[in-house]
Amino acid sequence: MNHSVKKTEYGNVTNYAGASSPAKIPVIDVSLLTSSPLELDKLKSAVTTWGCFQAVNHGIESSFLEKVCEIGELFFKLSADEKKKYLREENDVDGYGNDMVFSDDQILDWADRLYLTVLPKDQRKFQFWPQNPTHFREILDEYSSKIELIYQVTLKALARSLNLDEDCFLNQYGTTEKKSARFNYYPPCPWPEKVLGVKPHADSSAITLLLQDKEVEGLQLLKDGQWVGVPDALTINVGDQIEIMSNGMFKSPVHRVLVNSKKKRMTVAVFCPVQSNKHFDVEEIRGREREEGTRGGEEKGMVIFVGTDEKCEKGTRGEEARIKRCFQVRFQIAIQRRIRGTNQRENTTIQRNRER
């Protein structure tokens, strides 16, 4: 495909020739997911083709979402000494900081982050929850509760879209798996063509809910070999866990974040995983595939989440072969293969890569 490169305040952005019009992220009315078969079909189409959608009528007022963004902006405006009170400790995720450095040649993201466990409430580490601004904890606590409701509605709808029991995905969450909020601050960068706010990756969560900056765009999604900008909205994307649990029918999208030479950007992501060490039988999904004439992932059988932070080896990913990446998948799966009518369980580690 022919393409040209245009220099902008976001750096060098690739424009692909031959596209009749810019692709648009699907929009889903969350309030209709429990009552409208048409909206449920739209949801299924969105996550099987894009892997994400923009949520409207989700029950959170825009004025409150502005407060959530405001507490993040106020925190990042604090002095360096004040923010250092919440520095992430060694070998921990919660707290203030940026990329963990694993090697001398590691390419770092152009971003500062505040990473906080929000649910279950008894696993919160309040020593990392800022006391300045004074209403930070109150707002984040309320936001966590509201996001939990959207998470439940979304997982139930995803299951129903596959004609499965609506609780089959939600039951994998359990009561102990952590949900985490990450406040992301992308300061202006004088060399936006040389760095990224976040490198191309896919999320290892079940789903991720992203509250974006209303003034400055930056999130891009890889679709059919093209980077597509995602406008301001509450954006929900499928993660690797649901892609595997759906037997590859739902897609965990590759995405990245650009930086701006003139403007700062602030977002809030909430990562929602499923419970480790639980079995999930995709045999019913395989039956639906046969009925509908569709095909999911190449590996079939019983999915078992048994670990975290296992490295991946090289592989490919269909039409997204333009991205080549090796990322850490935070779980392992074992595949129970059916051989000539007998069940034989074989433990294996699924490790994935995407070609650029």
Side-chain angles (χ1 to χ4, degrees):
M1 180 180 291
N2 295 326
H3 62 274
S4 60
V5 177
K6 181 175 68 174
K7 188 171 184 179
T8 71
E9 61 187 26
Y10 291 97
N12 294 329
V13 177
T14 302
N15 293 328
Y16 289 85
S20 57
S21 61
K24 295 183 179 180
I25 307 297
V27 177
I28 300 297
D29 188 330
V30 176
S31 69
L32 297 178
L33 288 178
T34 58
S35 60
S36 171
L38 177 61
E39 204 67 20
L40 200 62
D41 288 341
K42 288 174 58 179
L43 173 69
K44 182 179 179 181
S45 175
V47 295
T48 55
T49 57
W50 285 84
C52 80
F53 60 92
Q54 296 195 284
V56 297
N57 296 327
H58 42 64
I60 307 180
E61 294 186 0
S62 58
S63 58
F64 180 75
L65 294 178
E66 289 175 1
K67 291 181 180 179
V68 177
C69 291
E70 180 188 45
I71 61 172
E73 291 177 355
L74 290 174
F75 171 78
F76 287 114
K77 285 181 179 179
L78 296 174
S79 67
D81 288 340
E82 184 68 20
K83 286 183 288 190
K84 284 180 180 178
K85 295 179 181 178
Y86 308 100
L87 273 179
R88 181 182 63 235
E89 296 176 354
E90 188 175 359
N91 299 321
D92 198 354
V93 175
D94 283 50
Y96 168 70
N98 39 42
D99 288 350
M100 291 185 178
V101 178
F102 298 103
S103 66
D104 292 338
D105 58 354
Q106 178 178 336
I107 299 176
L108 303 180
D109 294 334
W110 188 271
D112 284 346
R113 302 184 177 108
L114 177 64
Y115 199 100
L116 302 169
T117 298
V118 293
L119 292 173
K121 289 187 176 183
D122 62 3
Q123 296 195 41
R124 292 175 175 176
K125 300 178 181 180
F126 281 114
Q127 67 268 34
F128 299 114
W129 286 50
Q131 299 185 54
N132 186 6
T134 56
H135 57 303
F136 185 100
R137 296 184 176 187
E138 177 185 352
I139 295 295
L140 182 55
D141 177 68
E142 184 176 352
Y143 184 60
S144 304
S145 299
K146 293 177 182 293
I147 285 294
E148 174 71 8
L149 295 177
I150 299 175
Y151 169 76
Q152 292 182 11
V153 169
T154 301
L155 280 195
K156 288 182 176 182
L158 289 174
R160 291 200 311 275
S161 76
L162 295 176
N163 296 319
L164 301 173
D165 180 86
E166 71 170 11
D167 290 328
C168 74
F169 290 151
L170 196 59
N171 286 341
Q172 293 298 121
Y173 172 60
T175 59
T176 60
E177 209 65 24
K178 297 179 181 179
K179 286 189 178 74
S180 300
R182 191 177 74 191
F183 291 79
N184 306 294
Y185 175 71
Y186 307 98
C189 177
W191 312 284
E193 70 281 359
K194 296 182 179 180
V195 299
L196 288 169
V198 179
K199 297 177 288 295
H201 70 286
D203 294 341
S204 64
S205 57
I207 63 173
T208 302
L209 301 95
L210 178 69
L211 177 58
Q212 297 203 69
D213 194 303
K214 292 185 65 175
E215 304 296 330
V216 183
E217 293 185 9
L219 176 64
Q220 290 190 327
L221 183 97
L222 188 67
K223 177 71 166 65
D224 299 331
Q226 300 185 38
W227 288 109
V228 179
V230 182
D232 165 50
L234 183 64
T235 303
I236 301 177
N237 68 267
V238 168
D240 294 331
Q241 292 177 341
I242 288 294
E243 177 175 318
I244 292 174
M245 292 168 65
S246 69
N247 206 26
M249 295 187 71
F250 299 153
K251 307 303 180 187
S252 176
V254 174
H255 50 284
R256 69 180 184 180
V257 176
L258 302 182
V259 292
N260 193 292
S261 63
K262 300 177 181 178
K263 301 176 181 179
K264 62 178 177 58
R265 183 170 180 266
M266 214 285 301
T267 65
V268 184
V270 177
F271 301 97
C272 305
V274 294
Q275 190 169 4
S276 301
N277 302 317
K278 290 194 70 174
H279 294 69
F280 183 80
D281 193 350
V282 299
E283 198 62 25
E284 187 174 355
I285 296 178
R286 293 179 64 190
R288 300 298 180 190
E289 290 175 355
R290 288 190 287 267
E291 291 174 7
E292 300 176 8
T294 59
R295 182 175 181 272
E298 294 182 359
E299 298 290 352
K300 312 288 186 178
M302 179 80 75
V303 175
I304 310 170
F305 299 101
V306 294
T308 60
D309 295 326
E310 296 298 327
K311 294 201 173 185
C312 308
E313 61 188 8
K314 293 182 179 180
T316 59
R317 182 190 171 90
E319 63 187 19
E320 291 181 349
R322 298 181 68 88
I323 280 291
K324 180 183 289 184
R325 67 185 181 92
C326 184
F327 64 95
Q328 290 187 336
V329 175
R330 298 185 181 180
F331 51 86
Q332 295 173 313
I333 70 171
I335 302 297
Q336 181 186 38
R337 291 176 176 158
R338 302 181 181 274
I339 301 177
R340 298 182 180 179
T342 62
N343 294 337
Q344 178 178 347
R345 180 168 297 174
E346 173 184 327
N347 290 331
T348 184
T349 300
I350 298 300
Q351 300 176 326
R352 310 185 325 171
N353 175 32
R354 297 179 183 175
E355 285 194 348
R356 194 177 322 223

